[in-house]
Amino acid sequence: GPVDYLLASRNLVFREGVPGDLRDRVKERILERFGVETDVILRDTEQLQALLDANPFGVPEAGSVQISIWDGSADPEGLRQLLAADHSPDELHPADNALIIRYAGSSHDSKLNNNLIIRRLKVQSTLRNVRTFSRLLEKFGSGDAAERCVSKASHVLSCQTPALQAAAGCTC
């Protein structure tokens, strides 16, 4: 079905039902087209809304709130250690297959970054600004609801490029 994207967000939105092998198909097309192995993380609109509802930080005037999402099972001990650690001035809140992080400054300057999350949890994850999820739901969540949102863990490619759209099978 039709595929859209939110400019510069590295997310693809599928407006109609998606095949069960979507994750593998997108990964294969990216590998074939660009020679890059990457992970594909799927969320539907209800899951995105649940993450926004679980956000205890809101949208701060200073700093940012990011959500790290992953598929699969995170290492329980790594998650426990990550949650128990003092990440001041940043804050961390667990959610379903996600961590909601309030950065006092920039996520790029923090030790609590996605690379740390990947190492501790032993899963591939991707970090997205809470505003990105809000914009995805605003743009695609009503009427013809988006069935799935695809976020890729690699920052090598951007979905706004025509080449990636073609690789992912976009018809938009």
Side-chain angles (χ1 to χ4, degrees):
V3 179
D4 289 307
Y5 64 96
L6 184 63
L7 187 64
S9 73
R10 295 185 305 269
N11 293 284
L12 298 175
V13 177
F14 296 80
R15 290 184 171 268
E16 296 173 6
V18 297
D21 65 344
L22 175 67
R23 180 188 330 269
D24 293 334
R25 288 174 51 193
V26 171
K27 286 174 70 167
E28 287 171 14
R29 289 222 179 144
I30 291 171
L31 179 60
E32 288 170 9
R33 179 80 182 235
F34 300 102
V36 175
E37 287 192 41
T38 187
D39 289 283
V40 174
I41 298 171
L42 301 174
R43 292 293 183 272
D44 63 26
T45 53
E46 289 177 2
Q47 291 167 319
L48 290 180
Q49 186 62 59
L51 287 171
L52 292 177
D53 292 345
N55 173 14
F57 308 117
V59 180
E61 290 184 31
S64 70
V65 174
Q66 306 272 334
I67 302 177
S68 178
I69 60 173
W70 61 85
D71 289 330
S73 298
D75 179 66
E77 181 59 19
L79 180 60
R80 187 195 66 70
Q81 290 175 1
L82 199 58
L83 293 172
D86 180 8
H87 302 287
S88 297
D90 304 323
E91 300 176 68
L92 185 63
H93 179 78
D96 186 29
N97 275 5
L99 291 171
I100 303 169
I101 307 162
R102 186 198 182 292
Y103 292 102
S106 168
S107 61
H108 303 290
D109 299 330
S110 175
K111 292 180 182 176
L112 181 58
N113 58 40
N114 207 49
N115 289 329
L116 174 67
I117 293 168
I118 290 168
R119 281 194 316 271
R120 292 286 165 87
L121 301 186
K122 298 180 177 129
V123 292
Q124 287 299 312
S125 67
T126 187
L127 195 64
R128 294 291 186 266
N129 191 301
V130 71
R131 289 183 178 108
T132 298
F133 286 161
S134 294
R135 286 194 312 261
L136 282 167
L137 288 174
E138 287 169 11
K139 185 171 180 179
F140 302 108
S142 60
D144 262 354
E147 290 297 318
R148 303 295 269 186
C149 168
V150 176
S151 294
K152 52 179 211 42
S154 170
H155 294 275
V156 175
L157 308 169
S158 295
C159 289
Q160 73 269 21
T161 63
L164 183 57
Q165 293 173 22
C170 294
T171 58
C172 54

